[in-house]
Amino acid sequence: MVVKKQELQEVEQVVIRFAGDSGDGMQTIGERFSESAIFAGNDIATFPDFPAEIRAPAGTLPGVSGYQIQFGSQEILTPGDAPDALVAMNPAALKTNLDALTDKGLLIVNEGAFTAANLKKASYESNPLDDEKLYEKYRVVKVDINTMTDKALEDTPLKPAGKAKCRNFFALGFVLWIYGRDLDVTMKWISEKWSGKELIIESNTSVLKAGYYFGETTEVGLTRYTVAKAPVENGTYRKITGSEAMVLGIVAASKKCDRNIVIGSYPITPATSILEGLAKLKNYGVKIVQAEDEIAAIGIALGAAFTGALAVTTTSGPGICLKSEFMGLACITELPLLVIDVQRGGPSTGLPTKTEQSDLLQVLFGRNGESPMPVVAASSPGDCFYATFEAIRIALKYRTPVVLLSDGYIANGAEPWQVPIAKDLPSIKIEEAPIDSDYIPYKRDPETLARQLAFPGDLGNQHRLGGLEKNHAGDVSYNPENHQEMTDIRAAKIAGISNDYDPLEIMGKKKGRVLIIGWGGTYGSIATAVGNLIHQGAPIGYVHLRHINPLPNDLGDIIKKYDYVLIPELNNGQLDMIIRSKYLVDTIGLNKVQGKPFTVAELESKIRSLL
Amino acid sequence: MTESVKLSKKDFVAPADVRWCPGCGDYSILNALQKTLPEIGIQRENIVVVSGIGCSSRFPYYMNTYGFHTIHGRAPTVATGVKVTNPDLSVWMITGDGDALSIGGNHFMHLMRRNVDINVLLFNNEIYGLTKGQYSPTSEQGTKTKTSPMGSIDHPINPISLALAAEATFVARTSDGNPKHMNQILKAAASHKGCSFVEILQNCVIFNDKTFEDFLGRSVRDDNTLVLEEGKPLIFGKDRDKGVKYSSKGMEMVNIGEDGITLDDIVVHDPRNAPPGLTYAISRLRHPEAPVPMGVFKSVENRSVFEDMLVAQIDEATKAKGEGDLQKLLTGNGSWDVYEGKKSDRSTVTRIHDFASSEEQTIMSELEKGENAIASDPLLGALNNTIETMLAETETFPIATVSSEESLDVAIKLLLEKKIGCLPVIEDGKVLGILSERDITLKVMMKNIDLEFTPVSAIMSKDPTVLNTQNTVSHAISAMSAGSFRHLPVTDEEGNLQIVSVKGLMRYMSQKAKS
């Protein structure tokens, strides 16, 4: 074979999607590729996309697992709309992902998996690789990864099933070659991951190299690409997912409020990773009770809040349904409690592994009675840290349950994140009532309206809380005027939280044609789209809401400065309903519930239509 | 825990008016607990009474302790949260047959199996009282109520059998009509380490009056109840002539002295060691076929208490990994430092250490691995420490500074005098530059420079990199290697200046490697 040195063509950003069977290790190679990109100095954003079933039947359409990454030399805020390159490990992966690939995109297929049986499982009538149109539309590289992997492992004692497990590294090696990355990062990872298992280390490493050398020594006639380093502020960085960031946010807040963490949670996709992350931090004093159900989980957390812990419960939409009665109790007893809702597609079981923003109205209003509750939403994986810290700050300062919204997309997605300096994080410690002090449970701070707290064990401050309406002294009261007054006070207390907020930041024009209002995990897509249009001179502004309840005091004035207000949401118009009713403005919604984030293209096109 | 003060019953009476129906059995239970608690000797502030919803669940409002009247069926969860947060507290949970066994059946079971050290008092009146008289899960089949005008068709549940099946470690039954027995049982429950379950047969005067009268009534109770006492045979009857025999046929009620039955044939009650089958069989004894057992069915302390194990794991983890350090956690095990002087690119990205492994779809594994790696590798750990920590742990040397207008000869003299390798050049509290041995070697020696008339500003290295003492050691190393510096000024929060030197770094790392 002729060794041909190909030139590397420089591009600003690239989107790659790895797709294969859920047993093929696509998440693994996706993660490995992300790390190579990070170590090469690129900015990245990732989107793991896996099926709800742990192992759907191998080779079938529901069993396809994917991992998309965008990496670039500029700031990268989304995993990209459409892949520039698709790696398809079998016919099912090709079928479910091919539509997404850009025209003339690079398609790498594992030819060896295109057997009659696999084609049938993917419901292909004929072999798509025999279709000439495929080659007209895309740049196709057929590689028999199965055979190549077996060949690379000829001399090892690995059984066929073991060899098959190494195939993903062939694909990874080949892709690393295309994008001019070296193998060091991955080889080091392999040797650490399977430390002590020499056979597996050797096998995976030689398959990885085989994939790389395959690119180098074969005349596949490919253009290779390189992506330059992205500009970035000085500091220490790490890669982080939204759920990891929430774990860190909870621990950081616990140190800064000087309370021990008590978690009551029940496993639910996609929130489980937060619970698992916290379970590993026992040496940070984290007490975890994996409860018998969602209701017990919040009950345990509320009991802990009553006893003075930093109390947290984590869940997803269906869990919020079950927790709502306890959220009401937390509201009337005015205890600090963090309720994390990592949203997924609904209603009911819906789409457990897919993203959506359709729990907003539920967390705002899904309780009996007048039970206002602050709602904070995280906007990106790294922002999950700060959003968590802020939600806990509010819960403690105002003695209230707070709902913190994340979603499947930012919970699992990863991005590089500048590590905060622990010492610089502000204290969020609150004062409790002095002991033996004629304690009155509903005596309030005149400014914040927060009631004073005392905890079991405090001498002389014995008191009783409960779900019945109380008067100021803390005694049960059915008096009509008292109920009116207490309801009004609880509402005023929550409404006053917005006085703490910093002014909203407007991206783009301070007044103009269109104001885009976003919230939660859509930040990356909207900011990219808005950034592109602003660059082209579009008279638009964008605000992204961290606080959904109460809304920022300055939002009303900002809204008045634009002709149109566009609210893109991954639901059927929930924030839209709130903004319309609060500001009496004829907003325009951009709504989508496909279990997928917005593409930059669809956002740009909608905004353009209003210019 | 606070200092122990001798208390009496009235200390446990809360100011709130008690609002149960006149004649309700709840009054006697409230009295019994208010009388028992001072005898146990726990201070009021260390007692928490948690309840669900129902007539019985108003109980916390009447106790001058900490209390939480929660929501229907969920008291076990809140009580668990309280106990787990502060295991020193004495937690009492008040519930009813509807609250515990109907809406809260799930939590009831899990509280028992977890063996959280909570005392559960279930007031069983076999009716829904607060909603005004509907059949409950313990109502006899055929009970006629407003929702079962033709008689209920639900088969009732036996709370004692259920608690045993859920592996409760303390299970007992008493009644509102026998304060003395209640007092004994409450004391036994309080002293039991683990979850204690007490069923209290309680009369609802309004909706289910005298439902237990057939066996608890004064005239019939000797014949129709069986008092369980540890180490004593299960005999009953006004004349103490009837007993319970247990054989392969199951439980038999026998008359002692008839058919050759002697006291030796009668089961001796052993709540600590009896086989589970026997204890369960005793729990199944029902009126009218058999006497109703009253007393402690089971009391074992062979199983660890939930909150103790939870705390033990935290202690174990802390011992193995050290108390968690927030900065280390935030930095993680896959961090890299970016430093580039003034250019805004990643030209000097330094790889400090590699990403920890991350399993397919198990995104969080990095966290723990990071902890382990740091715990086991002192050098990795040291890299993540702050510069402040390093300076605190190593010998530091005095630093001297000069102003930019100072002449070179003064500066050089200062270097020699203090035996130091560099001088930060300070103007208005800011580091304008650094004058190092290297500057002197390269820019002064061999050149015809008048040391007396040349200011420091002419040869110093300008605009030096200044780090914060909160930056990591690895950050310092990458900054120094990128700029080929041997000395790096760092400032702390107050703006105090210190110097990190290559020598100091080497010393620190070798010190760490040795440890």
Side-chain angles (χ1 to χ4, degrees):
Chain A
M1 262 189 241
V2 185
V3 179
K4 191 178 163 192
K5 287 258 178 231
Q6 280 129 320
E7 287 295 307
L8 268 68
Q9 185 186 325
E10 184 157 338
V11 284
E12 266 189 15
Q13 73 270 326
V14 173
V15 180
I16 303 179
R17 187 185 294 179
F18 298 94
D21 197 66
S22 55
D24 279 344
M26 292 300 102
Q27 305 300 321
T28 304
I29 60 169
E31 292 253 314
R32 304 284 69 75
F33 190 87
S34 308
E35 284 165 17
S36 304
I38 280 175
F39 279 118
N42 301 134
D43 197 4
I44 66 155
T46 72
F47 181 45
D49 184 19
F50 33 79
E53 292 76 14
I54 300 300
R55 286 279 187 273
T60 60
L61 298 170
V64 174
S65 167
Y67 189 103
Q68 185 164 312
I69 166 177
Q70 174 161 222
F71 59 107
S73 56
Q74 298 300 319
E75 192 177 21
I76 298 294
L77 296 171
T78 78
D81 288 1
D84 304 305
L86 170 67
V87 177
M89 294 297 280
N90 66 10
L94 183 70
K95 187 156 199 174
T96 46
N97 289 283
L98 188 60
D99 283 351
L101 186 61
T102 51
D103 279 358
K104 298 290 163 206
L106 177 62
L107 172 63
I108 299 162
V109 281
N110 175 15
E111 201 180 2
F114 281 66
T115 61
N118 280 344
L119 289 167
K120 200 178 156 202
K121 279 188 217 165
S123 310
Y124 272 122
E125 310 255 307
S126 61
N127 190 340
L129 302 184
D130 296 339
D131 183 356
E132 276 178 23
K133 280 186 206 139
L134 189 74
Y135 302 84
E136 287 162 18
K137 200 163 173 204
Y138 308 106
R139 291 171 297 137
V140 183
V141 180
K142 290 188 288 184
V143 192
D144 185 349
I145 294 178
N146 294 11
T147 308
M148 304 285 284
T149 303
D150 287 349
K151 230 186 252 174
L153 297 172
E154 243 167 13
D155 301 330
T156 70
L158 271 187
K159 300 208 170 74
K163 288 180 183 169
K165 280 192 178 162
C166 300
R167 285 173 194 158
N168 55 340
F169 282 101
F170 188 96
L172 177 62
F174 184 49
V175 175
L176 286 172
W177 171 79
I178 293 173
Y179 294 97
R181 307 298 191 210
D182 64 33
L183 301 178
D184 293 355
V185 179
T186 310
M187 276 163 35
K188 187 157 180 252
W189 179 85
I190 290 173
S191 62
E192 278 168 15
K193 161 89 179 163
W194 286 287
S195 165
K197 296 175 184 163
E198 289 312 313
L199 178 61
I200 300 180
I201 294 175
E202 244 169 65
S203 307
N204 278 326
T205 308
S206 57
V207 172
L208 177 76
K209 285 182 179 165
Y212 192 88
Y213 295 139
F214 171 79
E216 202 161 86
T217 56
T218 321
E219 281 205 69
V220 284
L222 273 179
T223 315
R224 295 175 68 201
Y225 300 92
T226 178
V227 176
K229 290 157 184 166
V232 63
E233 248 182 72
N234 277 356
T236 300
Y237 286 76
R238 63 178 288 179
K239 192 181 80 154
I240 202 153
T241 67
S243 288
E244 286 171 334
M246 286 201 165
V247 169
L248 301 187
I250 292 167
V251 176
S254 116
K255 297 275 180 196
K256 295 295 172 178
C257 72
D258 206 10
R259 286 176 169 221
N260 286 323
I261 301 169
V262 175
I263 311 288
S265 282
Y266 186 76
I268 182 171
T269 303
T272 313
S273 46
I274 304 172
L275 179 60
E276 289 172 350
L278 286 160
K280 290 166 183 168
L281 302 179
K282 291 214 155 78
N283 61 321
Y284 289 79
V286 181
K287 288 182 178 168
I288 290 192
V289 183
Q290 183 180 302
E292 57 270 27
D293 61 28
E294 294 282 358
I295 301 173
I298 186 173
I300 288 161
L302 191 62
F306 175 61
T307 316
L310 172 56
V312 182
T313 186
T314 60
T315 191
S316 184
I320 294 289
C321 298
L322 290 163
K323 291 180 194 300
S324 46
E325 189 183 4
F326 255 128
M327 289 163 76
L329 181 64
C331 176
I332 198 166
T333 53
E334 303 187 44
L335 286 168
L337 172 70
L338 179 64
V339 179
I340 296 179
D341 174 5
V342 185
Q343 301 168 94
R344 66 189 217 186
S348 187
T349 309
L351 304 171
T353 59
K354 309 292 177 197
T355 200
E356 209 163 280
Q357 295 183 298
S358 47
D359 294 349
L360 181 62
L361 293 179
Q362 184 193 11
V363 299
L364 282 169
F365 304 117
R367 289 170 293 282
N368 63 310
E370 293 294 342
S371 51
M373 203 166 287
V375 175
V376 174
S379 61
S380 72
D383 182 58
C384 281
F385 174 83
Y386 295 100
T388 304
F389 199 86
E390 167 69 354
I392 294 172
R393 180 193 72 80
I394 292 173
L396 291 169
K397 181 173 174 188
Y398 295 92
R399 285 71 150 156
T400 176
V402 175
V403 179
L404 171 61
L405 292 174
S406 171
D407 60 52
Y409 170 62
I410 58 174
N412 292 324
E415 66 179 4
W417 180 62
Q418 187 169 7
V419 175
I421 292 171
K423 250 187 150 173
D424 294 348
L425 295 168
S427 166
I428 48 174
K429 196 171 157 54
I430 57 167
E431 253 180 65
E432 57 177 285
I435 57 167
D436 217 0
S437 60
D438 295 325
Y439 175 72
I440 298 167
Y442 288 86
K443 192 173 151 191
R444 293 171 191 280
D445 178 308
E447 204 170 301
T448 63
L449 299 179
R451 71 178 190 89
Q452 58 174 354
L453 293 180
F455 308 124
D458 292 353
L459 177 71
N461 291 350
Q462 294 95 276
H463 64 280
R464 275 67 56 192
L465 296 182
L468 290 169
E469 184 65 279
K470 307 283 190 307
N471 59 23
H472 288 286
D475 299 326
V476 174
S477 167
Y478 301 116
N479 177 296
E481 285 75 30
N482 178 71
H483 180 52
Q484 178 80 56
E485 190 187 351
M486 286 298 179
T487 304
D488 293 347
I489 287 178
R490 286 190 289 265
K493 180 182 82 167
I494 301 305
I497 294 171
S498 56
N499 296 329
D500 288 356
Y501 306 164
D502 289 334
L504 281 169
E505 273 177 40
I506 303 171
M507 177 177 178
K509 299 275 184 286
K510 301 270 182 285
K511 58 181 184 179
R513 184 86 172 150
V514 185
L515 173 70
I516 295 103
I517 304 178
W519 69 276
T522 50
Y523 171 76
S525 316
I526 302 176
T528 306
V530 169
N532 292 346
L533 292 172
I534 288 171
H535 193 68
Q536 295 160 22
I540 58 174
Y542 168 38
V543 292
H544 196 81
L545 302 181
R546 148 149 300 163
H547 303 95
I548 320 274
N549 192 44
L551 285 164
N553 297 342
D554 49 350
L555 183 59
D557 287 340
I558 293 173
I559 285 175
K560 288 184 195 142
K561 294 184 179 137
Y562 298 83
D563 302 336
Y564 295 112
V565 176
L566 173 68
I567 305 179
E569 292 176 271
L570 298 174
N571 58 37
N572 274 352
Q574 300 195 5
L575 178 68
D576 194 69
M577 187 185 285
I578 303 297
I579 300 288
R580 278 175 165 264
S581 75
K582 175 147 180 157
Y583 302 103
L584 301 177
V585 53
D586 191 13
T587 55
I588 299 157
L590 173 59
N591 305 97
K592 165 167 152 177
V593 280
Q594 298 172 3
K596 292 190 288 193
F598 281 118
T599 64
V600 172
E602 65 197 355
L603 285 160
E604 281 185 26
S605 126
K606 181 71 187 180
I607 299 167
R608 267 208 193 93
S609 75
L610 298 172
L611 294 178
Chain B
M1 301 288 268
T2 41
E3 200 183 321
S4 169
V5 179
K6 186 93 179 115
L7 298 169
S8 67
K9 177 173 178 277
K10 68 176 191 322
D11 293 313
F12 285 88
V13 177
D17 294 333
V18 183
R19 296 192 195 183
W20 287 312
C21 306
C24 177
D26 289 356
Y27 284 97
S28 81
I29 307 174
L30 178 62
N31 269 321
L33 191 63
Q34 286 171 338
K35 178 176 179 294
T36 307
L37 288 174
E39 293 172 19
I40 295 165
I42 303 171
Q43 298 300 300
R44 290 177 298 186
E45 62 272 18
N46 294 323
I47 295 173
V48 185
V49 183
V50 181
S51 65
I53 293 293
C55 292
S56 60
S57 289
R58 297 296 175 90
F59 205 95
Y61 291 125
Y62 310 137
M63 295 288 295
N64 190 356
T65 60
Y66 284 91
F68 205 154
H69 176 215
T70 72
I71 55 176
H72 207 10
R74 320 299 173 196
T77 69
V78 174
T80 299
V82 170
K83 187 69 179 173
V84 158
T85 305
N86 184 353
D88 292 339
L89 298 169
S90 170
V91 182
W92 295 76
M93 193 195 112
I94 311 296
T95 184
D97 41 318
D99 191 57
L101 303 174
S102 203
I103 191 166
N106 186 29
H107 311 303
F108 177 84
M109 167 175 88
H110 293 285
L111 178 63
M112 304 288 145
R113 76 164 169 94
R114 284 196 188 106
N115 200 28
V116 188
D117 190 5
I118 290 169
N119 307 302
V120 179
L121 310 186
L122 187 156
F123 299 10
N124 183 6
N125 55 16
E126 300 189 353
I127 198 77
Y128 284 155
L130 199 63
T131 49
K132 300 191 169 62
Q134 300 79 27
Y135 64 97
S136 92
T138 55
S139 299
E140 289 297 322
Q141 205 169 40
T143 301
K144 286 191 177 170
T145 68
K146 287 175 207 161
T147 54
S148 57
M150 295 171 70
S152 68
I153 54 174
D154 282 36
H155 182 75
I157 199 162
N158 177 330
I160 300 287
S161 300
L162 186 65
L164 290 170
E167 298 188 48
T169 53
F170 180 96
V171 180
R173 177 187 284 144
T174 184
S175 73
D176 59 1
N178 193 343
K180 216 172 130 189
H181 190 253
M182 241 193 305
N183 176 259
Q184 281 170 19
I185 297 290
L186 292 178
K187 274 191 201 163
S191 67
H192 174 74
K193 179 86 175 153
C195 188
S196 309
F197 172 68
V198 181
E199 180 192 13
I200 305 177
L201 301 179
Q202 173 254 330
N203 192 42
C204 173
V205 284
I206 306 294
F207 298 108
N208 205 15
D209 196 20
K210 297 191 167 52
T211 191
F212 305 119
E213 199 63 12
D214 290 350
F215 56 93
L216 290 182
R218 273 184 196 284
S219 57
V220 293
R221 75 176 174 204
D222 288 343
D223 281 328
N224 290 342
T225 59
L226 172 67
V227 178
L228 303 173
E229 287 176 286
E230 188 173 358
K232 300 210 173 139
L234 299 182
I235 51 176
F236 61 100
K238 213 171 268 170
D239 303 322
R240 311 290 289 162
D241 59 346
K242 288 180 259 188
V244 180
K245 192 182 163 206
Y246 184 55
S247 69
S248 55
K249 283 184 263 173
M251 304 298 266
E252 281 178 85
M253 304 308 120
V254 294
N255 292 318
I256 300 161
E258 286 176 22
D259 302 329
I261 300 281
T262 69
L263 205 54
D264 290 346
D265 294 313
I266 306 301
V267 178
V268 175
H269 187 51
D270 184 358
R272 296 179 195 280
N273 301 301
L278 174 57
T279 312
Y280 184 75
I282 295 172
S283 81
R284 303 308 295 166
L285 298 177
R286 286 167 60 89
H287 182 75
E289 303 85 40
V292 176
M294 305 295 290
V296 178
F297 291 76
K298 179 180 175 185
S299 174
V300 297
E301 291 189 358
N302 57 0
R303 208 142 64 75
S304 298
V305 169
F306 183 81
E307 64 274 17
D308 287 355
M309 291 188 282
L310 191 65
V311 171
Q313 283 196 343
I314 288 173
D315 292 346
E316 193 189 325
T318 309
K319 212 172 147 194
K321 299 178 188 175
E323 202 170 311
D325 176 294
L326 179 59
Q327 188 62 61
K328 278 185 185 170
L329 180 70
L330 294 177
T331 308
N333 191 35
S335 68
W336 64 95
D337 286 353
V338 174
Y339 161 74
E340 72 296 288
K342 285 202 178 118
K343 268 181 283 160
S344 191
D345 66 26
R346 281 191 185 173
S347 53
T348 53
V349 170
T350 316
R351 196 166 88 190
I352 301 303
H353 36 255
D354 216 325
F355 278 97
S357 63
S358 153
E359 301 251 345
E360 175 102 352
Q361 298 184 18
T362 308
I363 292 150
M364 304 303 290
S365 63
E366 283 179 25
L367 285 168
E368 184 178 50
K369 296 226 167 144
E371 292 299 302
N372 287 341
I374 287 169
S376 61
D377 187 338
L379 280 181
L380 274 187
L383 282 173
N384 270 333
N385 284 343
T386 59
I387 293 170
E388 183 183 56
T389 312
M390 178 184 82
L391 292 173
E393 284 177 30
T394 48
E395 201 184 338
T396 47
F397 297 90
I399 70 161
T401 59
V402 286
S403 85
S404 57
E405 273 128 36
E406 195 61 76
S407 66
L408 272 177
D409 65 342
V410 173
I412 293 169
K413 262 183 215 153
L414 200 60
L415 283 170
L416 292 172
E417 214 175 273
K418 302 262 179 193
K419 293 187 182 151
I420 48 179
C422 85
L423 286 172
V425 184
I426 306 290
E427 204 83 88
D428 294 328
K430 277 194 183 151
V431 186
L432 275 193
I434 289 271
L435 182 71
S436 67
E437 294 167 320
R438 203 177 156 78
D439 294 322
I440 294 162
T441 318
L442 294 176
K443 300 178 198 163
V444 179
M445 310 267 288
M446 313 300 291
K447 289 186 184 163
N448 197 11
I449 284 181
D450 190 331
L451 295 177
E452 211 182 322
F453 292 102
T454 313
V456 167
S457 58
I459 70 153
M460 69 181 187
S461 304
K462 283 174 193 160
D463 298 320
T465 304
V466 182
L467 292 191
N468 189 285
T469 50
Q470 292 311 309
N471 291 122
T472 59
V473 172
S474 67
H475 194 153
I477 294 176
S478 59
M480 291 169 84
S481 96
S484 298
F485 307 133
R486 281 182 291 178
H487 299 90
L488 189 68
V490 291
T491 55
D492 65 13
E493 319 261 78
E494 277 89 43
N496 296 320
L497 190 65
Q498 282 178 287
I499 295 288
V500 172
S501 67
V502 169
K503 230 188 261 175
L505 274 170
M506 300 291 281
R507 212 174 282 136
Y508 179 62
M509 295 311 281
S510 86
Q511 185 180 314
K512 285 287 162 188
K514 276 179 207 151
S515 69

